[in-house]
Amino acid sequence: MMIFLFNGRIKMIKNKHCCLLVFLLFGIPLLAIAAPSDLPIKHWLQVQINNPQQWQQLSQLVDDVRRQPSGLVDIYADTTTQQALLNAGFDVQLKIQNLSHYYQQRASSAQRRSNMPLGVGSMAGFRTIEELDAEISRLAASYPHLIHAFIAGYSHEGRPLWVLRLSDNPQQYEAEEPTVWMDGLHHAREVITGEILLQLADYLAAAYAQDSQIQDLLNNRNLLLMPCVNPDGYAYNQQIAPQGGGLWRKNRSTNADGSFGVDLNRNYATAWGDAWAGSSGNPQSTQYRGEMAFSEPETAALAQLWSQQHPQLALSLHSYGEYWMFPWGFQPTPIVDDIWFREQAALMTQDNHYRVDSAWNLFGSSNGATDDYLYDTYGTLVYTVEVGTQADGFWPEPERILPLFQQLLPGLLTALEIPLYVPPILSVQGSSITAEALNIQVNTHANTPVTVYCALQAENHLSIPGILGQVYLSLPAHPLLQGMSDENGQISWLLNMPEPLPSGISGVALQAFVETASPRLSCTQWLQLGEAALKLTTRAYCP
């Protein structure tokens, strides 16, 4: 018996001679093609989901999926799962059988048509892991005055995690300049993403001498490019499919059950765990989130680097779909900065016409992801960019590499041109509150004294006697506390309450912020009565 495509529907055929007939009529690669023994052959399937119940049922059967806004779901599954979907009553469309081999054959056919090598590397037109590392070395050696390559850490298998810094002083981090972060290949099979970042580095460095606009960008940015977050997974795809088309997604860490790999883009701390949908606790799942947040050396290295060089802007490249997505991915509730994120995305997509929306609305639930973490932790203006069309898939044809980069380039340049401000970092220390007195100490960590404001907000936005209808605590002439930090970047207030706090209020929220012409950096923390403040969150708002 064989599974076979007819008019976009899967049919079961028992004729033992059907294989030759299918190949002659449709040219569809068949299951007889060899694959590594530990990896089942995956096909590209589609089903239509019309309600949450169908999605829940589908989620119990498959995990390697991509949801489309239309309700269609792309599924990458082997023949066993394919049959399980049919048995469950799903109307399954077979798009491509043996997807990995299809990608190989497509690239090979393109090379034959042109009678010359296409693309940039020897793996279906893409670079091998060795060629990728060689290109990083070439860029750093060719443009030492603009590009510095450094190692942020090492992968599970010991491969270096290379980062390129592009700047007029690339050897050093200039804290007074905003940091822009771009990464690719979180998922090992999304091969166009790393290539776009290598192309971008080459383009910017080559054009620097003649283009005053690019000079201005690199002179005033700490631009960090990480072409390959997941070198182990990328190398594994090269091992199992040296002619291209490898479909391995995760890294290659060893799991407790003997399986391999963690989905690095489900391993970040924000909304990590089983309390949210969008990842899996099953180590064999393609969306396995790991044993704990930052359990993987790759994500831990990025978190460490970001803690030292906070990104004001970040683009995480993935494929495919032509989406320009922003937080949240773990919940449908819009972020506070939803309008601002949409406005900036509209500028970045005005040439490529990518679809703009939250990750939740475009892609469905995903928790523990890069963009949610960067926004939640640093207030970063962050987007996940899904590069290429559905037809491009995970391994675009080699002649599509340059057009896809050119399509995305105006948006990348626009992102670099967004005015970004590095405000002084605020922290609130030593603050305490009782019903009678308030003690606040704010540190700005600024190079020069700045004006700091503080406001107090009652629990649950209750009104406080003295300022009718307002949420600020009534202090004598100080609904907002204001003061200038000293040369050490510190400012303190010690005030007596004009009257005890109203009954039923166990504490207040303290907000400290620096107001400049634009933008604002604020710190907010909850002050429990009689206790020092414990929780601090920081937001950076860029113009």
Side-chain angles (χ1 to χ4, degrees), residues 11 50 137-138 140 159-160 213 254 279 282 333 376 379 389 404 422 534:
K11 302 294 182 183
N50 299 313
S137 297
R138 185 196 69 82
R159 291 182 174 86
Q213 181 183 17
T254 305
S279 66
N282 178 5
T333 305
D376 181 51
T389 66
L404 284 170
V422 182
L534 298 176

Side-chain angles (χ1 to χ4, degrees), residues 119-197:
V120 293
S122 59
M123 187 169 58
F126 290 87
R127 303 178 205 267
T128 64
I129 188 66
E130 295 82 10
E131 291 167 344
L132 188 150
D133 287 350
E135 177 63 4
I136 289 174
S137 297
R138 185 196 69 82
L139 288 167
S142 300
Y143 306 103
H145 58 299
L146 295 173
I147 300 179
H148 172 60
F150 65 93
I151 297 173
Y154 291 88
S155 68
H156 174 76
E157 295 180 342
R159 291 182 174 86
L161 302 174
W162 286 106
V163 178
L164 296 173
R165 178 185 289 115
L166 277 70
S167 171
D168 57 341
N169 294 300
Q171 299 290 335
Q172 60 183 12
Y173 166 56
E174 297 174 294
E176 70 277 7
E177 295 180 358
T179 293
V180 175
W181 171 268
M182 299 184 189
D183 65 62
L185 284 169
H186 260 89
H187 295 144
R189 64 192 179 188
E190 298 171 11
V191 292
I192 188 63
T193 61
E195 185 54 44
I196 283 178
L197 296 183

Side-chain angles (χ1 to χ4, degrees), residues 460-537:
N460 298 326
H461 297 271
L462 295 175
S463 296
I464 301 298
I467 307 182
L468 184 62
Q470 300 294 313
V471 295
Y472 296 125
L473 185 66
S474 177
L475 296 171
H478 290 290
L480 282 175
L481 306 177
Q482 177 181 348
M484 180 70 70
S485 64
D486 61 21
E487 63 275 7
N488 297 317
Q490 295 183 346
I491 185 170
S492 299
W493 291 275
L494 179 58
L495 298 172
N496 294 322
M497 297 295 185
E499 57 185 79
L501 288 173
S503 61
I505 294 181
S506 60
V508 296
L510 166 66
Q511 183 182 50
F513 58 92
V514 173
E515 191 77 60
T516 60
S518 107
R520 184 169 90 173
L521 178 76
S522 66
C523 297
T524 303
Q525 64 185 144
W526 179 252
L527 300 182
Q528 197 77 13
L529 286 180
E531 296 181 2
L534 298 176
K535 185 178 180 181
L536 174 66
T537 57

